Amino acid sequence: MKILKNNHISKWGLALGLGTLLVSTSACDDQKYLNPTPATAISGTNAFDTPDRVLGLVNGIYKAIKSVNFYGGNYYIYTEARGEEFINRTSNTFTAYEAWNQTLNAGSNFVAGFWAAGYTAINNANIVIQGLADHPNVVNSTLTKQYIAEAKFLRALSYYSLVTLYARPYNENQGASPGLPLRLKAETNTANNDLKRSSVAEVYAQIIKDLDEAEADLPLSYSTSLLNTTRAHRNTAIALKTRVYLNAGNYAKVIEEAKKIVSTSTPFAATTGVAHKLQNIVEIFTTNYTSTESILSVPMTDLDNVTGQSSFPYVFNANAEYNLNPNGIWGNTDWRSSDLRRTFARTSSGLSFITKYSKPSPFLDYLPIIRYAEVLLNYAEAEARVGDITKATELLKAVRNRSDATYAFAESAVSSRSALLSTILKERRIEFIGEGFRSNDILRNLLPLPAKASSVLTAPEVLPSQSNYIFPLPNVEIITNKLLLQ
């Protein structure tokens, strides 16, 4: 199912008043004067007429990424619910209970909603890429390259998010499994709706191609820390490549990309572009959303935010629908009480609830998509897998000691490749809890999705061999795309 996006928003959400894309039709002069076209209306023929309209279209891609079914909320809710770090308390199907107990089906609302949101963002990106090619002189050549690069970055992020949920893990068979329909053309009607799935490897290849091309043309930085956090720049593309290559098991490429933005020794920092480095973990989630650790985040404002059952802070904190699992990483004794990341929790009736996003309604916490801590742990894991235990340990310690300055890893936890990998994966569970990483880390390592239980509710273990190890393709796509299952 192609998604035809038609609203264009600035800064992930502040409406420019550009109206909807409509195909213009001719009319007599009398009708024109009797029914004048509003000054803010835009047709398919004039959407690229001015620099402001072009910027509105670019910002529309970011707005699509911020959809409540995508990175505005439900992506975090559903990916966290699938893992073992949280216990469901309400059996509410509108807040990911089906994901938590592993019963998502082809008709589930989120299965269709997430797919639609991802392809909406992709089509918005395709419209910008095609439109700028067809209207080369509306903005200068530098901006044209930048806007196309931003569109390619966001298309890559969208395809990565979809392929890691709806397709078999790359590491299972080097990407030979069926992946996703690769839609790379701007669509304004349903004529080309039928499209076969490309393989997982082909989808990953397109993601990397988009990110390589984006890296070449994205700016090194923007004029403000807000823009450096909420718009893609060169280091944003590099950081996402470390994630994609890690997922594909290409550890040499993870290391190659990470070295572009991580200094050779502590304190690790980016030496070109935005000066990324680790910051106070409490501040980056409470008072400083645009710090140099925040590589890309979803901003929330009073005029544009996500509330209710699509809001991760509402579901997991304010409404207390999921408590931290005492048998998950929250109960691990290696995560000491002195660790600042332990402060991201509150206790009620003997249960602990995550407070990483702690602002009250209307929930104005920024939602992180990429942080510098992830780049360091991606780099550490890749180095451990290729055998450089010393470098991997240095990177691991940088992340742990940022939050727990006196912690020292036991020799047995870092002295061998297998032990170090286990320790790094544990650190990822601590560092990224509530950020949508856990279930994907399980899948890319071909591990079972663990069983979990409360005194009332249970969820079974799911083995990699089982069909519900990944999300089912949505019924609406199966019905409308006749080539999907071929």
Side-chain angles (χ1 to χ4, degrees):
M1 176 181 63
K2 287 195 296 291
I3 306 299
L4 310 180
K5 186 68 175 175
N6 63 4
N7 56 336
H8 308 294
I9 311 294
S10 87
K11 292 193 194 238
W12 301 66
L14 180 60
L16 290 175
L18 297 182
T20 56
L21 280 175
L22 301 171
V23 178
S24 294
T25 58
S26 61
C28 67
D29 286 344
D30 288 345
Q31 286 297 315
K32 178 175 68 176
Y33 292 118
L34 288 171
N35 301 286
T37 301
T40 57
I42 294 178
S43 72
T45 58
N46 65 10
F48 287 85
D49 275 3
T50 70
D52 282 346
R53 289 178 178 177
V54 173
L55 177 59
L57 291 164
V58 174
N59 287 329
I61 316 172
Y62 287 95
K63 177 61 176 177
I65 295 291
K66 190 181 175 177
S67 162
V68 295
N69 275 324
F70 214 27
Y71 281 95
N74 274 339
Y75 178 81
Y76 301 91
I77 293 172
Y78 279 75
T79 52
E80 285 295 337
R82 288 204 87 204
E84 77 274 40
E85 309 297 10
F86 295 93
I87 298 297
N88 184 279
R89 304 177 64 241
T90 64
S91 305
N92 184 356
T93 58
F94 292 102
T95 54
Y97 178 64
E98 292 172 308
W100 184 80
N101 73 351
Q102 315 299 354
T103 59
L104 281 170
N105 60 74
S108 297
N109 288 336
F110 177 75
V111 168
F114 185 82
W115 181 279
Y119 276 103
T120 294
I122 288 164
N123 197 52
N124 276 17
N126 292 341
I127 287 171
V128 167
I129 294 166
Q130 183 63 53
L132 286 169
D134 292 342
H135 303 83
N137 299 315
V138 179
V139 295
N140 65 50
S141 60
T142 299
L143 269 182
T144 294
K145 289 181 179 179
Q146 176 190 318
Y147 290 164
I148 291 174
E150 287 184 83
K152 288 181 176 179
F153 170 84
L154 295 168
R155 183 169 70 180
L157 174 65
S158 299
Y159 269 122
Y160 171 83
S161 305
L162 290 166
V163 77
T164 51
L165 287 176
Y166 292 92
R168 301 295 303 180
Y170 188 103
N171 286 332
E172 184 174 67
N173 52 18
Q174 295 303 294
S177 300
L180 305 170
L182 267 178
R183 300 192 182 278
L184 304 175
K185 296 180 180 179
E187 304 286 2
T188 57
N189 58 56
T190 60
N192 301 314
N193 203 67
D194 295 333
L195 183 64
K196 293 174 63 176
R197 285 180 287 173
S198 297
S199 70
V200 170
E202 289 169 332
V203 175
Y204 270 75
Q206 180 61 47
I207 292 167
I208 291 298
K209 180 176 184 293
D210 274 348
L211 292 176
D212 283 340
E213 292 173 1
E215 178 190 352
D217 290 329
L218 286 169
L220 284 175
S221 64
Y222 294 97
S223 59
T224 67
S225 58
L226 174 63
L227 291 176
N228 284 338
T229 301
T230 59
R231 293 191 79 137
H233 48 77
R234 193 204 67 161
N235 289 357
T236 323
I238 294 169
L240 185 56
K241 278 196 282 184
T242 70
R243 181 188 297 182
V244 177
Y245 278 127
L246 188 69
N247 239 71
N250 192 336
Y251 306 119
K253 292 296 288 185
V254 176
I255 295 167
E256 178 184 322
E257 296 296 334
K259 284 182 175 180
K260 295 177 183 178
I261 57 175
V262 180
S263 58
T264 56
S265 59
T266 57
F268 297 112
T271 57
T272 61
V274 178
H276 296 301
K277 61 181 180 179
L278 296 174
Q279 299 286 353
N280 181 290
I281 189 67
V282 175
E283 291 179 2
I284 65 175
F285 279 98
T286 56
T287 62
N288 191 8
Y289 299 122
T290 60
S291 78
T292 53
E293 177 160 346
S294 303
I295 299 178
L296 183 67
S297 293
V298 177
M300 298 291 176
T301 70
D302 286 320
L303 296 177
D304 186 72
N305 53 65
V306 176
T307 60
Q309 294 183 123
S310 294
S311 167
F312 186 89
Y314 172 78
V315 173
F316 278 68
N317 182 9
N319 210 41
E321 297 192 34
Y322 290 83
N323 64 275
L324 286 158
N325 184 359
N327 296 315
I329 197 63
W330 183 247
N332 191 285
T333 56
D334 286 337
W335 188 2
R336 302 193 310 183
S337 59
S338 56
D339 194 315
L340 290 176
R341 294 170 296 189
R342 280 281 185 186
T343 65
F344 294 134
R346 64 179 176 85
T347 300
S348 176
S349 300
L351 300 176
S352 297
F353 300 88
I354 192 168
T355 59
K356 209 169 211 179
Y357 315 98
S358 59
K359 291 193 181 305
S361 180
F363 309 116
L364 300 183
D365 296 280
Y366 283 25
L367 299 177
I369 297 177
I370 309 173
R371 291 197 287 117
Y372 196 62
E374 183 202 347
V375 176
L376 297 187
L377 290 179
N378 292 348
Y379 189 3
E381 183 177 338
E383 289 285 19
R385 290 188 184 276
V386 301
D388 191 338
I389 292 177
T390 300
K391 172 61 75 173
T393 302
E394 288 177 356
L395 294 158
L396 170 66
K397 286 180 177 179
V399 175
R400 173 60 70 103
N401 293 143
R402 177 266 297 269
S403 297
D404 190 351
T406 63
Y407 185 90
F409 288 100
E411 181 66 20
S412 60
V414 296
S415 59
S416 70
R417 178 178 174 274
S418 60
L420 181 55
L421 282 170
S422 178
T423 303
I424 291 169
L425 290 173
K426 182 188 297 182
E427 193 68 23
R428 290 177 68 88
R429 293 175 66 185
I430 296 171
E431 180 68 22
F432 303 128
I433 190 168
E435 297 181 50
F437 282 81
R438 179 55 183 159
S439 57
N440 182 64
D441 276 353
I442 291 171
L443 266 64
R444 70 179 175 85
N445 285 290
L446 301 176
L447 300 171
L449 287 159
K452 54 213 169 183
S454 69
S455 59
V456 178
L457 301 174
T458 61
E461 178 184 67
V462 178
L463 301 175
S465 59
Q466 293 178 252
S467 60
N468 60 334
Y469 194 60
I470 59 173
F471 283 6
L473 298 174
N475 276 336
V476 65
E477 180 71 13
I478 294 170
I479 292 169
T480 58
N481 181 356
K482 296 179 179 62
L483 298 180
L484 183 70
L485 300 183
Q486 293 188 14

